[in-house]
Amino acid sequence: MSSSAENPTLTAEITKPSTEIATETAQSAKKITLKTSDDQIFEVEESVAMEFATVKSFFEDAPSSTDTVPLPNVPAKPFSQVIEFCKEQIKFKANPDETEKKRSNSEFVKEKTNEDLVEMIPVANYLEIKDLLDVLNQAVADRIQNRSVEYVRSFFGIDNDFTSEEEALLREEHAWAFEDVDED
Amino acid sequence: MSVSKLTRKDYISDVPDRFVQLPDELIVTILKRTKDAKTLIRCTIVCKRLQCLVTKVDSVVLRFSYPGEAGAYLPCWKSHYHIPQSAFPALMKLFVDLKALEIKLCLCPSLLPCYYGVSRRRNSKFLLKSVDMNDKMHTHMYTAFDIGSLLGADGRISFLESNMLYIGDVKSSLMLSFFLVILCHQPKTLRTVVILGAENYGSGSSGNFRSGSQAQDRSEGNVFMEPEHFARFRELSSKTTVDENWLKDPQNLVCWLENHEENKHQLAEKLWLIHKWEGERCNMNESTVKKSDVEELLRSFDEGMDGDNENGDFFRMELPPAFDEGIDGDDENGDFFEMELPPGFDEGIDEDDENGDFFDMELPPGFDEGIDEDDENGDFFDMELPPGFDEGIDEDDENGDFFLM
């Protein structure tokens, strides 16, 4: 896939999430305060927070709650990217345009590093954002498609736990599948 | 649920290994989405966890080229990767939880000249779908061949007969052989099998299914007929004038998928001959084709063959530049279509399959020899077939439990 995907493109949001989001949505809708596992505070518009099914049902159970919602399994870095995605998604809710949505989604994953994508998956899963999970799963599938074993290891940050004998044996068994590998 | 979920800490978020944080079911989803057996096999040697998760993938798509032999995985027009057929048994052993199997067959152009009976200007589609594999194994199968054009002029329609051959018999059996091999190696968990095969190796207007017309005002819709319809049409048009209204009578054809674009006033419809067989286990009989069948066939190709085709429609693919020349050049001596055809080959269409026995009727000459004799070169049929396999083909499968053994 594109080589740009490997370059980290971290945004300013990660270091100072609360101020950035707060200024953007200054006087408008109700905001929800969320606290990540690394104790970062995010203030997001209610409509964005309602994209997180987990948070949504939290408010359905306790509608009057004004407390900070703890997200003990969500680190700030992938979370800020998840927010970025959900903000885009909301635009398509008012104005459904499948082609444009597809384009926007592919744009979103294109500029993410492999690490970003993999880190966002547990977050999207935990927050139950189905659309994002679909997009991420497909993006990861596309990126490992026809790549070498070594590439897949580095993609996920996996240590090889096979002995070299075991690995050689497995390679021999399905020799055809190790030909014509796409370049890393 | 949400409150407890929000306060529960399932993941140790500061562990650097991001792979550890991915739940098993999500990894399996990702693996499935690669839709690529080759990638999946590579994943089996990435680490033990991934190896284990690959075996949990319950649906795979495998792409082979045909007519294949000796483990060949030769290229098709689209430069797809084709799995060598000899790898099939090992693949079936790997995917122990396999429930849905889809096979895509790509015609290998380099083998075309030696593949008698195939008209290179025509388009065809094959679909076999078998469900309920562990029980009744209901199977249906369609073959559709583009056999020429119905042209309209002065209110009269005529059939522009091209260099056509009625090749349904040969080709459906070739594809059917994949099904037989699947039956020999299928994991017990397997529930559904879909086999798709299509070709499009013509040039110009005959090559494109839905677009790419050379003449702007030509309608280029698609007419689907069963052999009886076509025989009736030919008989009628030889005696009298057949007008457009004839096509509008549902008794005369399976369906007419018109092209409703504007300015397409001149009738030039592609004529497809469609067959359907249907049955349980291998008791398959010819069956009447309905409009919904045609739609199912076309839909399978939209989903199945185009899914991985970023450049758009499979049937709108661009042919390599040298391709047209290749065909036209070869065609000039005109001897391609004069290659030895089995006796009675082009009458195939007019004869009705009266006893309706699929396996008895439809196997091309040499099919069972293929199993018995060609085996030395280690070809497709070399994979262990069940005992009595070739008898099953030669003899009538009267009790219909051939595949039960």
Side-chain angles (χ1 to χ4, degrees):
Chain A
M1 309 290 148
S2 79
S3 55
S4 71
E6 268 74 45
N7 302 325
T9 53
L10 303 182
T11 63
E13 266 186 354
I14 290 150
T15 46
K16 38 175 185 173
S18 53
T19 48
E20 180 130 331
I21 290 158
T23 47
E24 256 174 53
T25 60
Q27 338 89 336
S28 57
K30 185 185 165 189
K31 271 170 269 164
I32 306 267
T33 312
L34 303 148
K35 192 169 104 181
T36 59
S37 62
D38 38 1
D39 294 326
Q40 298 264 24
I41 302 290
F42 284 75
E43 269 186 39
V44 299
E45 261 182 67
E46 188 181 21
S47 60
V48 175
M50 290 306 116
E51 290 290 291
F52 315 147
T54 311
V55 174
K56 190 178 178 195
S57 48
F58 174 85
F59 280 98
E60 277 161 7
D61 291 353
S64 55
S65 170
T66 53
D67 300 343
T68 299
V69 183
L71 301 173
N73 302 309
V74 180
K77 183 186 153 220
F79 187 51
S80 65
Q81 296 177 334
V82 166
I83 292 172
E84 181 197 333
F85 177 87
C86 290
K87 278 182 174 172
E88 278 299 305
Q89 287 296 295
I90 287 170
K91 294 181 193 159
F92 296 109
K93 272 204 166 154
N95 205 348
D97 178 346
E98 281 306 312
T99 339
E100 185 54 28
K101 189 171 166 180
K102 248 186 171 169
R103 198 201 54 79
S104 150
N105 288 349
S106 72
E107 198 67 21
F108 175 80
V109 296
K110 215 168 112 188
E111 58 196 30
K112 297 288 173 286
T113 65
N114 293 341
E115 197 180 316
D116 288 341
L117 291 182
V118 177
E119 284 178 355
M120 267 190 282
I121 290 177
V123 174
N125 186 44
Y126 173 75
L127 295 173
E128 296 175 33
I129 313 165
K130 199 188 160 297
D131 283 354
L132 176 59
L133 202 53
D134 275 353
V135 168
L136 293 172
N137 285 341
Q138 189 59 53
V140 170
D142 291 345
R143 287 196 190 178
I144 62 170
Q145 176 118 28
N146 207 29
R147 295 306 187 92
S148 67
V149 174
E150 293 71 24
Y151 182 89
V152 177
R153 279 185 194 136
S154 76
F155 188 97
F156 290 109
I158 296 173
D159 289 327
N160 181 10
D161 54 2
F162 286 113
T163 65
S164 49
E165 290 79 23
E166 284 173 325
E167 188 175 329
L169 203 68
L170 287 163
R171 276 183 193 263
E172 201 180 318
E173 206 178 335
H174 301 281
W176 62 272
F178 298 97
E179 299 164 5
D180 300 321
V181 183
D182 285 357
E183 275 180 43
D184 291 354
Chain B
M1 138 304 190
S2 59
V3 177
S4 64
K5 187 171 179 186
L6 280 169
T7 47
R8 203 178 63 227
K9 193 157 174 145
D10 324 286
Y11 308 111
I12 310 156
S13 28
D14 34 326
V15 164
D17 189 355
R18 46 194 187 276
F19 184 62
V20 175
Q21 298 194 16
L22 292 178
D24 283 358
E25 63 272 18
L26 287 181
I27 297 177
V28 174
T29 308
I30 292 168
L31 291 172
K32 271 196 220 174
R33 296 237 186 156
T34 65
K35 295 212 175 226
D36 177 31
K38 209 168 156 189
T39 303
L40 292 177
I41 291 198
R42 285 184 198 155
C43 285
T44 62
I45 68 168
V46 165
C47 69
K48 287 180 179 159
R49 181 180 176 211
L50 211 48
Q51 180 186 40
C52 169
L53 294 175
V54 166
T55 65
K56 294 197 163 63
V57 171
D58 62 3
S59 69
V60 290
V61 181
L62 306 177
R63 197 185 278 277
F64 298 95
S65 63
Y66 83 97
E69 49 191 67
Y73 39 107
L74 294 149
C76 63
W77 307 127
K78 296 291 289 178
S79 311
H80 286 127
Y81 179 80
H82 300 120
I83 299 169
Q85 289 161 0
S86 54
F88 187 77
L91 275 168
M92 290 301 100
K93 269 186 211 141
L94 178 69
F95 296 107
V96 288
D97 279 336
L98 194 65
K99 291 189 182 65
L101 174 62
E102 187 174 320
I103 303 276
K104 290 179 185 173
L105 300 177
C106 294
L107 189 84
C108 166
S110 59
L111 286 173
L112 215 51
C114 53
Y115 183 24
Y116 73 87
V118 179
S119 153
R120 286 191 293 180
R121 284 188 173 273
R122 307 260 62 102
N123 208 329
S124 74
K125 292 172 203 298
F126 172 88
L127 168 68
L128 182 147
K129 192 169 181 181
S130 198
V131 295
D132 209 9
M133 296 285 288
N134 57 328
D135 186 22
K136 294 201 168 146
M137 204 172 110
H138 185 91
T139 303
H140 61 264
M141 181 171 115
Y142 307 111
T143 58
F145 299 94
D146 154 23
I147 59 166
S149 297
L150 284 176
L151 300 176
D154 310 323
R156 179 197 155 104
I157 50 173
S158 57
F159 177 62
L160 182 71
E161 197 158 350
S162 54
N163 293 324
M164 67 169 190
L165 294 167
Y166 303 112
I167 51 179
D169 306 349
V170 174
K171 295 219 282 193
S172 59
S173 333
L174 258 165
M175 309 214 185
L176 204 60
S177 67
F178 278 84
F179 187 52
L180 298 178
V181 172
I182 291 167
L183 294 176
C184 298
H185 295 281
Q186 57 163 320
K188 285 195 177 64
T189 50
L190 193 66
R191 294 293 173 272
T192 63
V193 170
V194 173
I195 304 178
L196 286 172
E199 286 116 71
N200 179 312
Y201 36 85
S203 54
S205 59
S206 69
N208 293 318
F209 180 58
R210 268 172 291 184
S211 65
S213 127
Q214 287 164 336
Q216 287 293 311
D217 53 351
R218 288 192 162 186
S219 51
E220 301 223 315
N222 292 274
V223 171
F224 289 82
M225 285 188 189
E226 290 195 85
E228 309 83 89
H229 297 133
F230 182 63
R232 225 182 301 143
F233 169 75
R234 287 236 289 199
E235 200 189 334
L236 196 67
S237 59
S238 66
K239 290 181 202 141
T240 171
T241 298
V242 182
D243 65 14
E244 215 175 302
N245 288 326
W246 189 86
L247 281 181
K248 295 196 166 129
D249 183 346
Q251 287 192 346
N252 292 332
L253 38 74
V254 177
C255 64
W256 181 11
L257 304 178
E258 289 178 74
N259 181 345
H260 292 293
E261 279 175 53
E262 280 178 34
N263 307 323
K264 305 280 180 186
H265 43 78
Q266 195 190 340
L267 197 70
E269 311 297 288
K270 189 175 282 186
L271 181 58
W272 294 81
L273 210 54
I274 182 164
H275 293 253
K276 178 183 181 184
W277 293 268
E278 191 173 19
E280 289 180 356
R281 299 216 173 74
C282 269
N283 266 347
M284 299 226 283
N285 295 313
E286 280 213 63
S287 173
T288 311
V289 188
K290 295 186 284 286
K291 189 182 179 190
S292 56
D293 295 325
V294 172
E295 285 161 354
E296 185 191 355
L297 179 68
L298 298 180
R299 202 172 47 242
S300 319
F301 281 91
D302 281 345
E303 292 163 6
M305 301 301 271
D306 304 340
D308 51 348
N309 183 355
E310 283 176 14
N311 308 327
D313 196 318
F314 182 79
F315 298 104
R316 279 181 222 147
M317 65 193 189
E318 279 175 32
L319 297 165
F323 185 59
D324 286 357
E325 294 158 32
I327 284 213
D328 296 334
D330 283 354
D331 258 0
E332 263 153 40
N333 51 21
D335 61 8
F336 178 73
F337 297 106
E338 280 157 33
M339 289 164 69
E340 339 82 76
L341 297 170
F345 195 55
D346 16 55
E347 288 126 54
I349 195 170
D350 298 323
E351 290 168 4
D352 239 324
D353 185 6
E354 270 156 34
N355 57 13
D357 188 316
F358 179 74
F359 283 96
D360 207 27
M361 285 297 292
E362 301 298 333
L363 294 170
F367 182 76
D368 38 25
E369 285 130 58
I371 291 170
D372 297 328
E373 291 162 20
D374 292 349
D375 264 356
E376 306 95 87
N377 31 13
D379 69 0
F380 193 53
F381 294 104
D382 206 8
M383 313 187 212
E384 325 93 57
L385 294 160
F389 178 74
D390 26 43
E391 286 115 67
I393 289 198
D394 295 332
E395 290 162 18
D396 234 329
D397 183 12
E398 270 157 31
N399 44 15
D401 59 6
F402 173 50
F403 287 103
L404 265 183
M405 46 201 179

